Amino acid sequence: MSPSPAPPEPRPQDRVVLMNPGPVNVSEEVRAALTLPDLCHREPEALALMQRIRRKTTRVCGGDDRYAAVLLAGSGTTALEAAFSSVVPADGRVLVIDNGHYGERLARILSVHGIAVEHLTFGWGTPVDPAVVERSLAGDPSLTHVALVHHETSTGMLNPLREIGAVTARHGRSLAVDAISSLGAEEFDLVADGVDWCVGTANKCLEGFPGVSFVVGARERLAALETVPARTFSLDLHRHFVAQEHDGVPLFTLPLQVMAAFDTALDLALREGTQQRHARYTALAERLRDGLAERGLALRLPPEHRASSLTAFALPDGMTYEELHDGLKAEGFVVYSTQARGEREFRLSTMGHITGEDITRFLSAYDRVVTQYAGAAL
Ligand SMILES: *Cc1c(COP(=O)(O)O)cnc(C)c1O
């Protein structure tokens, strides 16, 4: 397949900048890679594409030859559900660390599958205390797994993965991590962080299109899932692993066009590197944070807890979220609501193909929207 030339970048005034935390703006190279010749998912070209992505997603997580990825058609939640419904045995129990919407959601996913949960709630935007996790594990030998959201996208808080990994390993339990909004932009190393199961998706900090997600774990542990009875038919991680790893053929149809774009996105992510991408997102986020703080908006979290890619801000005085959203949408910027019920708050993400010029234009657009609103209210 010869790569088609990248189409020109849209003019700034025609561009819609996605400041929601995924799906993200993609680069023109990634968009161009969507256009594949029609292809059967069981032909050698498709199988080679699947294996390339399996290797690259494993690398993005810091996995070496002992680790393998399982690809799934679907959004990040599909991969979360595949992982959690497949890795916990019938007599297993999961300590769910919850300090926001996505932690709450993990507990709900487990409950749907009838899996026993110990729900450890810290409160939205409250830092996770590894000592409390340690006490829970020490006091309850029936807990077999720990579930953690790395970047809690509801508040923009980055949770202490390394510390939780160390505590979990010290107590001989398994750690499963929702790294959906951190992989690619936050430091993450399966081996050093002691992660047994890592869940990720194409369309957040890895800067691909939505439609494909993945679970990465040690080959040995994936093979050992044979003894865990499946709770679902289509999300049975062990069957997917055997099909992809040993038969070399996906169990079901995979979204090949989205995967071709993801393959290119992974090349770009690996070439840029997590540290550089972290620095790029942080620089953009800092311009937003400084710009909006100067304009009087409070930030939800102190700097030491912030992820690089997302910030929660208080709404400007008097304005509703819908008024702010619709004003900015008309200017070509998509902002994101809060998931915290009753909070006067909104969120801005800098993940994806966003430029410094986009941020400059955003701040001017923000000024116009707020000024117009104030003028209309007089
Ligand atoms: C976005 C997100 C999800 C859900 O991903 P979908 O692709 O919408 O299913 C899960 N967890 C976290 C932390 C997220 O940011």
Side-chain angles (χ1 to χ4, degrees):
M1 276 171 277
S2 58
S4 25
E9 296 270 352
R11 297 175 306 166
Q13 63 271 30
D14 297 335
R15 179 171 153 80
V16 174
V17 180
L18 300 179
M19 302 179 87
N20 50 293
V24 297
N25 290 109
V26 301
S27 72
E28 293 309 317
E29 259 174 289
V30 170
R31 189 186 320 285
L34 268 181
T35 315
L36 276 188
D38 295 348
L39 185 59
C40 167
H41 70 297
R42 300 175 70 100
E43 288 300 313
E45 309 88 288
L47 303 181
L49 174 65
M50 175 181 83
Q51 301 301 17
R52 279 201 303 280
I53 296 178
R54 293 183 64 223
R55 281 193 300 274
K56 290 173 193 175
T57 46
T58 303
R59 262 182 69 199
V60 158
C61 302
D64 54 29
D65 291 347
R66 293 168 297 170
Y67 292 83
V70 176
L71 299 187
L72 295 150
S75 80
T77 307
T78 303
L80 280 179
E81 191 146 19
F84 282 94
S85 69
S86 300
V87 306
V88 186
D91 58 353
R93 239 174 116 238
V94 183
L95 180 71
V96 176
I97 300 174
D98 170 0
N99 64 344
H101 173 78
Y102 290 99
E104 271 176 35
R105 216 161 155 274
L106 285 184
R108 277 164 54 205
I109 291 173
L110 287 160
S111 299
V112 163
H113 293 283
I115 297 168
V117 166
E118 175 71 30
H119 199 158
L120 184 59
T121 50
F122 288 89
W124 282 53
T126 305
V128 169
D129 181 353
V132 173
V133 175
E134 172 119 55
R135 278 200 294 281
S136 301
L137 292 178
D140 191 345
S142 77
L143 292 167
T144 52
H145 293 70
V146 174
L148 177 73
V149 178
H150 187 202
H151 169 202
E152 180 47 81
T153 325
S154 58
T155 59
M157 180 171 275
L158 193 66
N159 283 326
L161 174 63
R162 185 70 49 101
E163 288 84 345
I164 298 301
V167 166
T168 306
R170 206 152 52 235
H171 289 272
R173 321 296 166 88
S174 288
L175 177 62
V177 177
D178 171 350
I180 288 173
S181 64
S182 59
L183 272 183
E186 303 293 343
E187 201 181 340
F188 188 99
D189 187 314
L190 271 173
V191 181
D193 294 327
V195 176
D196 297 285
W197 305 104
C198 169
V199 178
T201 198
N203 59 277
K204 295 207 184 186
C205 309
L206 294 172
E207 303 192 355
F209 283 102
V212 63
S213 52
F214 55 91
V215 181
V216 177
R219 281 204 172 78
E220 238 172 57
R221 283 197 203 90
L222 282 160
L225 294 181
E226 191 170 9
T227 61
V228 180
R231 291 182 175 86
T232 70
F233 182 78
S234 69
L235 301 177
D236 179 347
L237 196 62
H238 181 258
R239 266 186 80 210
H240 280 285
F241 169 68
V242 171
Q244 295 182 15
E245 178 83 4
H246 298 295
D247 309 337
V249 177
L251 210 46
F252 314 122
T253 310
L254 285 170
L256 298 172
Q257 287 71 16
V258 168
M259 283 165 57
F262 189 33
D263 190 36
T264 299
L266 284 164
D267 287 339
L268 298 177
L270 288 164
R271 196 185 310 157
E272 184 175 11
T274 298
Q275 277 184 3
Q276 289 301 321
R277 188 160 288 186
H278 182 271
R280 171 161 67 85
Y281 287 3
T282 301
L284 296 171
E286 287 299 313
R287 288 180 59 179
L288 271 180
R289 291 162 183 164
D290 292 347
L292 291 177
E294 266 168 35
R295 290 161 173 80
L297 297 194
L299 280 66
R300 184 191 250 268
L301 296 180
E304 65 274 18
H305 292 301
R306 291 177 198 150
S308 60
S309 61
L310 189 118
T311 317
F313 296 93
L315 283 168
D317 282 343
M319 267 183 114
T320 65
Y321 169 73
E322 287 72 21
E323 287 161 344
L324 182 67
H325 170 276
D326 295 354
L328 286 166
K329 178 80 182 288
E331 295 264 3
F333 297 90
V334 174
V335 303
Y336 218 47
S337 62
T338 181
Q339 288 162 313
R341 227 166 275 138
E343 294 279 346
R344 281 192 40 83
E345 200 178 72
F346 70 110
R347 292 177 292 162
L348 294 177
S349 159
T350 51
M351 61 177 76
H353 198 64
I354 292 179
T355 64
E357 196 201 332
D358 290 331
I359 304 294
T360 306
R361 291 194 306 111
F362 172 85
L363 291 170
S364 316
Y366 174 89
D367 288 338
R368 280 192 296 278
V369 169
V370 171
T371 309
Q372 265 167 26
Y373 177 80
L378 283 178

